[in-house]
Amino acid sequence: MTPAKLAATVLSAARAVFETRGLDISALPEATTVERPRNPEHGDYASTLAMQLGKKAGVAPRELAAALAEELGRQPGVKSVEIAGPGFLNIRLDAAAAGVLARDIVVAGSAYGHSDTLTGERINLEFVSANPTGPVHIGGVRWAAVGDALSRLLRAAGATVGTEYYFNDAGSQIDRFAKSLYASAKGEPAPEDGYGGAYIAEIAEKVVKEAPEVTSQEEGTALETFRRVGVDLMFAEIKQSLDEFGVHFDTYFNEKDLHERGELQEALDRLREQGHIFEADGATWLRTTEFGDDKDRVLRKSDGDWTYFAADCAYYLDKRKRGFDRVVIMLGADHHGYIGRMKAMSACFGDDPAVNLEILIGQLVSLVRDGEPVRMSKRAGTVVTLEDFVDALGVDATRYALARYSSDSPINLDIERWTRRNNDNPVYYVQYVAARSANVARNAQEKGVRRGEAADFHPELLTHEKENDLLKALGEYPDVVARSAALREPHHVARYLEEVAGAYHRFYDKCPVSPKSGDDPITDVNVARLWLNDATRTVIANGLALLGVSAPERM
């Protein structure tokens, strides 16, 4: 029995009590939850429902708890219910009710943990969106790992998700990039405000090879060639790096298209219709201060040029026009000041910023070796890149490490720790369970232990303390997935998997799946434990998949 099923049983019992006593049914919540007590001696699960409802129902919490305990005690699968303190309900399940979860997990397979909690929501999730002026740097790597994991979580919770990379191919930074390529091709140093690093020379060389006429063009034409071809080459490299990292986007959106399709003017017209546009000092402004921004924002400058914020407005409107009712944007720590203006912009369009727009801020990441920060990429010159991360840790360890921490907390990743092949390395600790459980299943097969059909499984035989602990841990998975999706926090999945790994190792030490010797008979207990072993591998594999990490069968 999963916590969700038990919670539904508790609520059903409460409804029966209220009806019997003639209490107001409207006081009952639509849903409730149960929790695992910190002290296992207090039972398998605990509920505070009696304390929540006592005042509303006009009944003392302990009196209501006593009535709930009596009703719950009659429910199938509930072994006992004890009342503690002011009205806590400590619930114990019988072995069969607890053990049947192993069968349910194996039967559900990769679908176990999926839910419909976000069904009906259409979410546009934008992340990374690094400028195409260099390789993906350390901040973008964090968002690549976290953003991709979040997209998987949201889909597992039932949402319709469109992942998006905003390709900023317009603006002054692209001009500086083109000038840097041009200077490199001529054998000159990069401009003072340009870009350095070996990658500039590599891209410049590729531009000359692809468009040899550039060497004879006059400067203005040559810069345009370096701009057009160089940006395409740089972005192709970025996409390849992300692809090798296991991150794929549904849409790559070009900023240039907003300009060419007239969408900035369309956004301006829409905002004018809403009554939030005004003219001052020859420029066109958006009155964002009406919705909490610290100052009004210029959309079009006095010289007629559009601002970056105007493109932000047009891009947001474009997403909403494509049918997304919630726009989620993941930004780096240096963009914290964007929150106020973006929220105000959403309100200016007539949207509810609390519903239609979410901005997630990710803090800084440092890569450390021998206690010292790794500060410089051999190729990029000034920053740590995606390739540096993967070279140092590998794809699985990088993705797991970056998704393991709350994105609003700065982190230092120690290369030595994350490359160890022992339990000090969290990703190794979890992946080892995937490999060990697969090996246990192979050994069982060789010794003649077969799961058989679901009817051959006897859940009531899973009575060992370590079996029960593992079952309770596995039962938490759907709630962890749903909560992580709702909070936009994939790190809960990683921490949960480490908890399951610990419970499995303790089960493995005390509860052998296969007979100890070839002379020992195969019993129904062996079969039941094989179901539990395979259920564990299912949960570990499902959870790692949400993080974009492999679940190896051998290590």
Side-chain angles (χ1 to χ4, degrees), residues 387-411:
E387 287 76 12
D388 296 324
F389 248 116
V390 172
D391 287 346
L393 305 183
V395 171
D396 277 351
T398 298
R399 291 190 62 131
Y400 189 96
L402 291 172
R404 184 177 184 261
Y405 301 92
S406 172
S407 56
D408 61 5
S409 300
I411 53 175

Side-chain angles (χ1 to χ4, degrees), residues 293-495:
D293 195 7
D294 58 345
K295 62 181 180 180
D296 294 324
R297 304 290 171 175
V298 177
L299 295 179
R300 200 163 199 171
K301 295 182 283 188
S302 57
D303 62 4
D305 287 344
W306 295 101
T307 62
Y308 285 120
F309 186 60
D312 291 337
C313 294
Y315 186 34
Y316 173 81
L317 181 60
D318 184 276
K319 291 176 178 178
R320 295 284 284 121
K321 283 165 52 184
R322 282 184 275 146
F324 293 106
D325 48 43
R326 189 180 296 268
V327 173
V328 181
I329 307 173
M330 308 176 84
L331 298 174
D334 56 338
H335 286 74
H336 197 278
Y338 277 58
I339 297 177
R341 74 188 71 170
M342 293 294 286
K343 289 284 189 179
M345 173 266 290
S346 171
C348 287
F349 276 119
D351 284 349
D352 181 349
V355 173
N356 302 114
L357 177 64
E358 291 181 40
I359 298 179
L360 309 178
I361 299 293
Q363 295 300 322
L364 300 177
V365 183
S366 297
L367 197 58
V368 178
R369 179 187 281 116
D370 299 327
E372 296 295 327
V374 176
R375 298 185 182 279
M376 189 174 295
S377 166
K378 294 178 181 177
R379 184 163 178 265
T382 56
V383 296
V384 177
T385 68
L386 173 54
E387 287 76 12
D388 296 324
F389 248 116
V390 172
D391 287 346
L393 305 183
V395 171
D396 277 351
T398 298
R399 291 190 62 131
Y400 189 96
L402 291 172
R404 184 177 184 261
Y405 301 92
S406 172
S407 56
D408 61 5
S409 300
I411 53 175
N412 294 313
L413 299 181
D414 189 309
I415 292 175
E416 182 181 355
R417 180 191 186 194
W418 287 94
T419 53
R420 289 178 188 147
R421 293 184 62 80
N422 61 33
N423 290 343
D424 290 337
N425 178 351
V427 70
Y428 181 90
Y429 184 62
V430 174
Q431 286 185 314
Y432 188 64
V433 171
R436 171 173 268 187
S437 57
N439 187 58
V440 165
R442 284 193 298 272
N443 289 340
Q445 180 88 3
E446 291 171 3
K447 293 183 179 181
V449 182
R450 306 283 190 274
R451 275 206 324 255
E453 301 298 325
D456 301 324
F457 171 55
H458 294 278
E460 71 277 4
L461 298 178
L462 297 174
T463 58
H464 194 282
E465 176 188 0
K466 301 307 178 187
E467 294 166 345
N468 187 255
D469 290 344
L470 180 54
L471 283 164
K472 284 189 285 187
L474 297 179
E476 296 288 331
Y477 181 65
D479 289 340
V480 170
V481 173
R483 185 173 72 253
S484 299
L487 297 175
R488 318 303 195 226
E489 295 179 343
H491 68 276
H492 294 297
V493 174
R495 299 308 177 102

Side-chain angles (χ1 to χ4, degrees), residues 56-249:
K56 292 180 181 179
V59 180
R62 275 193 68 93
E63 180 184 345
L64 185 56
L68 280 171
E70 183 179 352
E71 182 64 31
L72 271 173
R74 291 194 284 266
Q75 303 302 314
V78 176
K79 182 179 180 180
S80 65
V81 184
E82 297 174 356
I83 305 167
F88 288 101
L89 293 171
N90 291 331
I91 306 167
R92 287 181 170 81
L93 304 180
D94 64 37
V100 75
L101 177 66
R103 181 195 64 199
D104 293 344
I105 292 172
V106 173
V107 170
S110 61
Y112 180 66
H114 288 212
S115 70
D116 58 0
T117 57
L118 297 181
T119 296
E121 288 203 32
R122 289 181 52 81
I123 299 173
N124 180 283
L125 177 63
E126 180 199 341
F127 57 101
V128 183
S129 295
N131 288 335
T133 54
V136 178
H137 59 77
I138 194 167
V141 180
R142 184 174 199 178
W143 274 144
V146 175
D148 189 61
L150 180 54
S151 72
R152 297 165 187 248
L153 272 168
L154 293 171
R155 288 178 176 127
T160 299
V161 181
T163 57
E164 195 142 321
Y165 188 119
Y166 184 53
F167 181 30
N168 192 330
D169 55 350
S172 59
Q173 83 282 355
I174 301 297
D175 294 332
R176 297 197 301 273
F177 178 63
K179 290 176 181 178
S180 301
L181 295 176
Y182 181 62
S184 178
K186 293 174 63 179
E188 299 174 354
E192 186 175 341
D193 61 349
Y195 298 92
Y199 78 94
I200 288 292
E202 293 172 10
I203 296 295
E205 185 178 340
K206 289 179 181 179
V207 172
V208 172
K209 184 176 181 179
E210 189 166 312
E213 69 278 5
V214 73
T215 57
S216 59
Q217 292 174 336
E218 58 88 20
E219 182 174 341
T221 305
L223 284 172
E224 180 55 36
T225 300
F226 276 111
R227 177 190 181 104
R228 174 177 51 82
V229 181
V231 166
D232 286 347
L233 289 169
M234 189 73 256
F235 195 57
E237 185 176 304
I238 290 172
K239 290 169 73 173
Q240 181 179 345
S241 296
L242 290 168
D243 182 70
E244 292 171 353
F245 195 53
V247 177
H248 313 279
F249 291 87

Side-chain angles (χ1 to χ4, degrees), residues 248-280:
H248 313 279
F249 291 87
D250 299 317
T251 301
Y252 290 93
F253 192 99
N254 287 35
E255 180 189 356
K256 186 170 57 178
D257 291 343
L258 293 171
H259 293 263
E260 294 178 351
R261 295 196 299 244
E263 292 193 45
L264 280 81
Q265 184 62 51
E266 180 185 346
L268 176 61
D269 294 342
R270 181 76 65 88
L271 291 166
R272 195 183 299 278
E273 290 172 7
Q274 295 288 330
H276 303 301
I277 295 294
F278 69 97
E279 310 290 334

Side-chain angles (χ1 to χ4, degrees), residues 443-451 513-528 530:
N443 289 340
Q445 180 88 3
E446 291 171 3
K447 293 183 179 181
V449 182
R450 306 283 190 274
R451 275 206 324 255
V513 171
S514 299
K516 292 184 177 181
S517 72
D519 297 331
D520 292 338
I522 297 171
T523 69
D524 288 340
V525 171
N526 297 121
V527 174
L530 180 57

